[in-house]
């Protein structure tokens, strides 16, 4: 099991408080330096924990008021002054009981709580100057080694991540080994602000958020174009590979989750409702319900593999402090593939899924990377089942020549998985897809069986369950961070063009004025000539869109002979959808020429 940086500090998990590599060690030491500066500048502040994290560090403080940008500037200046003093980091040890009394005397309640919650006869401290902190290291030799750092922001954070605990003030910072690395990182941050999907979502009229529905996006018409195009892209390719789309209920009885094992291990993340003295929940995932679709009839080994796909709306009870745009939400649509198959089919299906991932991401110019996540501490199934499933994933990656990183203990409670990441235009990793092997949740707990090759009895060879490409609705924020798909790119006057097209459709194809405009319309003689044309009201508009070769006295282009024959022949066609689509032509506004509404045609 990989211990998080917070676990290292809160439970003294692992052997040290940070990884021993140079960069994590430097950042851990910089967090201590920041805490030293804060306690000097703001007497009475209580310190909590200060781990190194990816690309930086943070430290939590108990203070009645938040830190201001001016406070951060003062803290950073003091840190540079302390760094120049080149104070050594000195390790000290003492018995745990004595350490508790030590921090009680210093009135540091968070350190006392950490010490009371661990079982260790002896604990260690690190001291630099007059600052002492509960810590196991490692650290740089002295504060003089800390040169290239920057404080970034401050925010509120609950102690131990629970809203039941006190609110602390967290200061984030970053530290690097060279000035060049620091400058490059700060440049990336500025570029990221420009590409923030929440900002682009508002500017491009794609989506927005409101406090009446925290963690759930309000998708606007332009955003739904993007979502529908992504869903259409997925459906077409899944259909071509033999997937059958299903849809399962949103509100599900508690007994389903008890049977699958989610209620015991995942119920804290569910939205629960009491209805007629029974407990229901909004589904947090699609997996268990697909078993009911599979079990609706007797299955033979000849029927397998059976591939189901579902774009199901899911809800997860995420803490309010963790919500962030489309990255961390409470409501989302998850694109699941559930494949029921025989044990001898696992390798081929995993290979097919990996090929599908490569094909999909290549479309968006994304380069996938792979990580194999193995058994966590809390899990279902036997050691033999886990070993077999992990070996199957490993062999599939190896057979396809795919390099991968190992993530011990990071699998789901019901099986190991392959996480598939991509990097955005700024080089930041994002997980998009996952391939999971289900050991017991669906095959055994949900009693998914099939008739084996022998006719003696139903073969209890558990079908495996794999899941691919989660959360189609989470993909737009990653597209916005990189290169926008053509359908979502902003076009000058696109909104006004859509409004004009909508008015035209509502008025049966004739030009319609904007709200408050002239009801008779501009240049009425031209409009009357168009409506009185013997070939029909839309004939001249179609000719104009076709692009004639000469202009008449009225300013219209004269149609070519071929185009004129086409227009005359249109009167005899049936009004079928096929003919209507074939006859659809760009609309010419009386003043502005033809409208090219590629985004509106989806």
């Amino acid at each position: 099991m990989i211990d998080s940086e917070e676990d290292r500090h809160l439970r003294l998990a692992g052997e040290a408080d940070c990884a021993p590599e140079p960069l994590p060690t430097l950042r851990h030491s910089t967090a201590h330096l920041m805490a030293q500066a804060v306690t000097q500048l703001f007497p009475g502040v209580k310190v909590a924990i200060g781990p190194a994290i990816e690309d930086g560090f943070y430290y939590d403080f108990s203070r009645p008021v938040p830190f201001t940008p001016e406070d951060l500037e003062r803290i950073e200046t003091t840190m540079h002054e302390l760094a120049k003093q080149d104070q050594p980091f000195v390790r000290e040890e003492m018995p745990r009981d004595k350490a508790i009394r030590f921090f009680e005397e210093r009135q540091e309640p968070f350190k006392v709580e950490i010490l009371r919650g661990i079982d260790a006869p002896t604990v260690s401290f690190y001291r630099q100057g007059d600052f002492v902190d509960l810590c196991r290291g490692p650290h740089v030799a002295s504060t003089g080694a800390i040169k290239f750092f920057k404080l970034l922001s401050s925010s509120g954070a609950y102690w131990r991540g629970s809203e039941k605990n006190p609110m602390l003030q967290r200061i984030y910072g970053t530290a690097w080994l060279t000035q060049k690395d620091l400058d490059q990182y700060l440049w990336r941050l500025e570029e990221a602000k420009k590409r923030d999907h929440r900002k682009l979502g508002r500017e491009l009229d794609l989506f927005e958020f409101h406090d009446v529905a925290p963690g759930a996006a309000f998708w606007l018409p332009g955003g739904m174009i993007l979502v529908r195009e992504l869903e259409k892209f997925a459906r077409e390719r899944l259909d071509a590979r033999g997937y059958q789309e299903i849809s399962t209920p949103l509100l599900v009885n508690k007994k389903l989750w008890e049977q699958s094992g989610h209620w015991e291990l995942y119920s804290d993340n569910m939205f629960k409702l009491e209805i007629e003295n029974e407990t229901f929940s909004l589904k947090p995932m699609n997996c268990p319900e697909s078993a009911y679709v599979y079990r609706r009839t007797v299955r033979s080994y000849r029927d397998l593999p059976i591939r189901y796909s579902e774009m199901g709306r899911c809800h997860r009870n995420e803490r309010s402090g963790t919500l962030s745009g489309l990255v961390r939400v409470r409501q989302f649509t998850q694109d699941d593939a559930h494949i029921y198959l025989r044990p001898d089919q696992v390798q081929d299906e995993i290979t097919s899924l990996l090929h599908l991932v490569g094909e999909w991401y290549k479309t968006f110019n994304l380069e996938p990377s792979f990580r194999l996540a193995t058994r966590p501490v809390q899990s279902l199934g036997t050691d033999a089942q886990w070993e077999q499933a992990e070996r199957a994933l490993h062999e599939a990656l190896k057979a396809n020549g795919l390099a991968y990183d190992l993530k011990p203990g990071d699998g789901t409670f019901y099986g190991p998985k392959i996480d598939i990441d991509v990097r955005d235009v700024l080089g930041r990793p994002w997980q998009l897809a996952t391939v999971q092997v289900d050991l017991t949740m669906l095959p055994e707990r949900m009693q998914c069986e099939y008739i084996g090759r022998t006719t003696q009895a139903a073969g209890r060879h558990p079908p495996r369950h794999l899941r691919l490409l989660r959360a189609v609705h989470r993909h737009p924020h990653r597209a916005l961070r990189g290169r926008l798909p053509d359908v979502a790119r902003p076009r000058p006057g696109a909104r006004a063009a859509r409004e004009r097209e909508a008015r035209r459709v509502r008025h049966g194809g004739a030009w319609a004025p904007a709200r408050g405009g002239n009801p008779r319309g501009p240049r009425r003689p031209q409009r009357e000539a168009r409506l009185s044309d013997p070939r029909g009201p839309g004939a001249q508009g179609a000719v104009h869109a076709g692009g004639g070769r000469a202009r008449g006295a009225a300013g219209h282009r004269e149609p070519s002979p071929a185009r004129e024959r086409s227009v005359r022949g249109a009167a005899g066609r049936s009004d079928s959808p096929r003919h209507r689509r074939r006859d659809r032509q760009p609309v010419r506004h009386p003043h502005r020429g033809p409208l090219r509404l590629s985004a509106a045609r989806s």
Side-chain angles (χ1 to χ4, degrees), residues 228-446:
R228 289 170 58 188
E229 286 297 319
L230 288 171
E231 291 180 344
K232 177 184 176 183
F233 172 88
R235 284 189 169 102
E236 288 177 349
R237 282 148 185 80
L238 290 174
D239 290 347
R241 290 177 176 261
Y243 286 84
Q244 306 170 68
E245 185 168 359
I246 62 175
S247 178
T248 57
L250 182 66
L251 188 64
V252 190
N253 195 289
K254 168 186 175 181
K255 60 186 179 183
L256 171 69
W257 309 114
E258 289 177 330
Q259 184 179 4
S260 68
H262 284 86
W263 196 259
E264 177 184 357
L265 300 174
Y266 202 77
S267 62
D268 290 343
N269 299 94
M270 297 184 184
F271 287 104
K272 307 177 186 69
L273 298 90
E274 293 294 330
I275 304 174
E276 297 181 350
N277 298 322
E278 291 192 78
T279 302
F280 290 78
S281 78
L282 299 176
K283 65 176 180 180
M285 65 275 297
N286 303 312
C287 319
E289 292 173 276
S290 72
Y292 282 81
V293 180
Y294 175 83
R295 290 178 351 194
R296 59 184 295 271
T297 186
V298 176
R299 305 291 184 179
S300 165
Y301 73 93
R302 295 186 181 91
D303 299 327
L304 304 179
I306 295 176
R307 305 180 184 94
Y308 293 134
S309 66
E310 179 174 6
M311 294 185 182
R313 182 68 59 86
C314 299
H315 293 79
R316 294 181 182 175
N317 189 11
E318 303 284 359
R319 293 171 177 164
S320 59
T322 65
L323 300 177
S324 177
L326 297 178
V327 180
R328 195 73 175 266
V329 292
R330 288 175 173 168
Q331 174 184 287
F332 57 95
T333 297
Q334 182 160 289
D335 176 16
D336 275 342
H338 302 97
I339 305 175
Y340 293 86
L341 67 164
R342 304 190 308 266
D344 61 290
Q345 297 172 323
V346 171
Q347 284 295 322
D348 290 342
E349 288 298 319
I350 295 176
T351 297
S352 176
L353 288 170
L354 293 175
H355 288 169
L356 180 63
V357 166
E359 173 189 320
W360 285 28
Y361 295 166
K362 184 179 179 180
T363 303
F364 296 95
N365 295 323
L366 300 173
E367 187 67 30
S369 60
F370 304 88
R371 296 180 294 166
L372 176 57
T374 58
R375 187 177 189 175
V377 174
Q378 289 187 315
S379 60
L380 304 175
T382 65
D383 293 342
Q385 288 174 320
W386 277 89
E387 182 180 353
Q388 179 185 7
E390 290 173 1
R391 183 170 61 250
L393 293 177
H394 164 75
E395 291 176 354
L397 290 166
K398 184 178 178 181
N400 287 275
L402 300 173
Y404 66 91
D405 296 325
L406 189 64
K407 296 175 61 182
D410 207 45
T412 60
F413 67 86
Y414 52 83
K417 60 178 180 173
I418 299 173
D419 285 333
I420 302 164
D421 295 353
V422 298
R423 291 188 176 272
D424 63 15
V425 69
L426 299 178
R428 298 167 301 181
W430 299 94
Q431 180 186 335
L432 291 188
T434 185
V435 178
Q436 297 172 329
V437 176
D438 184 356
L439 302 170
T440 62
M441 183 178 69
L442 297 193
E444 294 186 2
R445 283 176 169 256
M446 305 299 292

Side-chain angles (χ1 to χ4, degrees), residues 10 48-49 60 110 113-114 157-162 165-168:
L10 293 173
I49 61 172
D60 288 340
F110 303 105
E113 182 179 328
I114 293 173
Y158 289 111
W159 169 238
R160 293 183 179 267
S162 173
N165 293 332
M167 173 68 77
L168 305 179

Side-chain angles (χ1 to χ4, degrees), residues 434-467:
T434 185
V435 178
Q436 297 172 329
V437 176
D438 184 356
L439 302 170
T440 62
M441 183 178 69
L442 297 193
E444 294 186 2
R445 283 176 169 256
M446 305 299 292
Q447 301 172 352
C448 296
E449 301 173 336
Y450 62 96
I451 304 299
R453 293 178 184 272
T454 61
T455 59
Q456 298 174 356
R460 180 116 181 162
H461 303 295
R464 266 60 172 179
H465 152 259
L466 298 111
R467 187 172 65 192

Side-chain angles (χ1 to χ4, degrees), residues 580-598:
R580 288 200 300 269
R581 178 174 294 274
R582 182 182 300 170
D583 295 340
R584 186 181 301 164
Q585 298 294 331
V587 182
R588 173 173 289 276
H589 189 281
H591 291 308
R592 298 179 177 83
L595 304 178
R596 303 296 179 183
L597 304 179
S598 57

Side-chain angles (χ1 to χ4, degrees), residues 488-502:
R489 290 186 183 180
R491 295 173 173 84
R495 184 190 298 180
R498 290 195 298 268
E499 293 175 355
R500 289 195 299 269
E501 172 69 358

Side-chain angles (χ1 to χ4, degrees), residues 57-209:
F57 60 90
Y58 71 80
Y59 212 114
D60 288 340
F61 304 93
S62 177
R63 186 170 183 247
V65 295
F67 291 101
T68 65
E70 293 74 20
D71 292 336
L72 298 189
E73 292 180 4
R74 291 176 58 202
I75 296 169
E76 187 173 320
T77 300
T78 303
M79 290 173 64
H80 281 289
E81 294 172 355
L82 294 171
K84 292 178 181 178
Q85 297 177 16
D86 199 21
Q87 300 171 352
F89 284 91
V90 180
R91 180 185 175 92
E92 302 174 0
E93 294 185 354
M94 69 175 65
R96 185 176 72 93
D97 293 340
K98 185 177 179 181
I100 291 175
R101 292 194 298 271
F102 173 82
F103 279 111
E104 285 178 338
E105 293 172 357
R106 298 172 71 94
Q107 298 182 355
E108 294 290 356
F110 303 105
K111 301 297 182 182
V112 173
E113 182 179 328
I114 293 173
L115 287 168
R116 292 188 186 280
I118 63 174
D119 183 17
T122 304
V123 295
S124 62
F125 298 78
Y126 271 86
R127 181 189 301 271
Q128 82 265 17
D130 59 353
F131 180 75
V132 182
D133 202 356
L134 176 66
C135 182
R136 295 175 298 163
H139 282 286
V140 297
S142 67
T143 60
I146 305 172
K147 299 179 180 179
F148 312 109
F149 59 87
K150 178 71 176 176
L151 299 188
L152 302 173
S153 63
S154 64
S155 65
Y158 289 111
W159 169 238
R160 293 183 179 267
S162 173
E163 60 273 13
K164 299 178 182 178
N165 293 332
M167 173 68 77
L168 305 179
Q169 303 301 322
R170 176 173 296 179
I171 299 179
Y172 287 97
T174 187
W176 298 84
L177 298 173
T178 67
Q179 184 65 45
K180 179 181 178 181
D181 291 340
L182 175 60
D183 292 341
Q184 185 177 15
Y185 177 73
L186 295 178
W187 173 84
R188 283 171 51 195
L189 288 182
E190 290 301 317
E191 291 299 307
K193 292 178 182 178
K194 300 175 185 178
R195 293 171 169 81
D196 189 327
H197 72 282
R198 292 164 293 188
K199 172 176 175 287
L200 292 177
R202 291 191 303 270
E203 293 177 351
L204 300 179
D205 291 333
L206 301 179
F207 58 85
E208 59 189 15
F209 291 89

